[in-house]
Amino acid sequence: MATELIPYTPQITAGDLEGKVTATTFSLEQPRCVLDGHANATDTLWLVVAFSNASGDFQNPQTLAEIPASPRLLTDGHYMVLPLSPDQLPCEDLVGGSGIHVLRVGNDPNCLADLHQPSYCNAPLPGPGPYRVKFLLMDARGSPQAQTRWSAPISLHQGKSPGSIDTWPGRRSGDMIVITSILSSLAGLLLLAFLAASTVRFSSLWWPEEVPEQLRIGSFMGKRYMTHHIPPSEAATLPVGCEPGLDPLPSFSP
């Protein structure tokens, strides 16, 4: 029996959300109000993830046992993940609802470490892709009931190898070159100011200022000399050549 086509195309969420696409994940908008008239309460909606060049080879499984798990992506180019029941996608939440409702593919890194995870574990995507996805509605026995269109190719972000980063100044913008030149000049001026201040500081330590000549003559020793005040009346009676504290000069008579 032919699978019914639902006129809906999965796409990356249009909400203002950081990390909508990363190196191992991408976030889809939830297919709300899409399953009305197509799903029963016991049905399950699956997400089919495939490499873009392998999406045309995907065949819808006919039983639950045929549902491909995430390790099949590297061998067969596709797998199925994120099973949802119709009551998990209520249409009324879109009216006056708050928050951003997304399905994040590749969001469970524990899948790689825990062997007891279910087969439909949401493991991180192994490479940049590109990938294409579609929703597949299956009944309780695993028989496909309806499906959406395939999405447009989705490419993940890739980190750059350090050796591939172009550091040639000629390919930089004019503003960047001007800013780099100004910063280099300021750094050079600061270095010159530091060297000048250091030179003045250390020169005062190694070559002290010149001292006056009279202070460079060696020290000497002498007797302490005490001056005495002679009243004018006594100074007039002293003979010439006699001073206090000195021996009188000898006189010679003819």
Side-chain angles (χ1 to χ4, degrees):
M1 185 175 60
T3 303
E4 182 181 1
L5 179 64
I6 301 175
Y8 174 78
T9 302
Q11 62 182 2
I12 297 294
T13 179
D16 186 10
L17 180 68
E18 294 289 338
K20 291 189 287 188
V21 178
T22 69
T24 58
T25 66
F26 58 84
S27 299
L28 300 171
E29 67 176 14
Q30 293 186 2
R32 301 192 173 224
C33 300
V34 172
L35 302 179
D36 291 355
H38 301 280
N40 297 318
T42 57
D43 291 343
T44 302
L45 184 69
W46 289 83
L47 180 68
V48 182
V49 182
F51 286 119
S52 182
N53 57 1
S55 59
D57 299 330
F58 177 77
Q59 300 293 326
N60 292 333
Q62 300 301 312
T63 64
L64 295 177
E66 296 178 6
I67 295 177
S70 58
R72 297 274 296 275
L73 176 65
L74 297 178
T75 57
D76 299 340
H78 51 255
Y79 71 104
M80 294 171 60
V81 71
L82 295 175
L84 297 170
S85 60
D87 60 355
Q88 291 179 291
L89 301 169
C91 185
E92 57 268 16
D93 280 3
L94 292 179
V95 181
S98 60
I100 301 175
H101 304 281
V102 299
L103 295 176
R104 196 170 184 88
V105 182
N107 197 42
D108 191 356
N110 294 326
C111 291
L112 304 177
D114 190 354
L115 299 178
H116 299 289
Q117 290 283 345
S119 59
Y120 51 83
C121 185
N122 191 16
L125 296 169
Y131 301 92
R132 299 181 71 185
V133 298
K134 74 173 183 178
F135 290 102
L136 178 63
L137 183 67
M138 304 180 71
D139 63 17
R141 298 174 299 173
S143 177
Q145 302 298 308
Q147 64 182 356
T148 66
R149 305 186 186 99
W150 285 101
S151 70
I154 301 172
S155 297
L156 304 185
H157 293 166
Q158 299 182 64
K160 288 187 176 180
S161 171
S164 65
I165 300 176
D166 187 5
T167 58
W168 176 245
R171 295 182 176 87
R172 298 178 182 175
S173 64
D175 294 341
M176 185 175 182
I177 294 176
V178 171
I179 294 174
T180 303
S181 301
I182 294 175
L183 292 178
S184 300
S185 301
L186 290 177
L189 292 175
L190 290 176
L191 179 60
L192 290 176
F194 174 76
L195 293 177
S198 301
T199 302
V200 172
R201 173 64 178 170
F202 286 103
S203 63
S204 63
L205 296 177
W206 289 101
W207 297 285
E209 296 181 358
E210 189 72 17
V211 297
E213 184 178 356
Q214 60 270 24
L215 296 180
R216 289 188 282 110
I217 301 175
S219 61
F220 63 91
M221 295 180 63
K223 294 181 180 180
R224 186 176 182 183
Y225 177 75
M226 300 294 294
T227 60
H228 299 278
H229 176 70
I230 302 176
S233 59
E234 294 183 7
T237 61
L238 290 175
V240 178
C242 293
E243 295 179 6
L246 297 177
D247 295 335
L249 295 175
S251 60
F252 298 91
S253 56

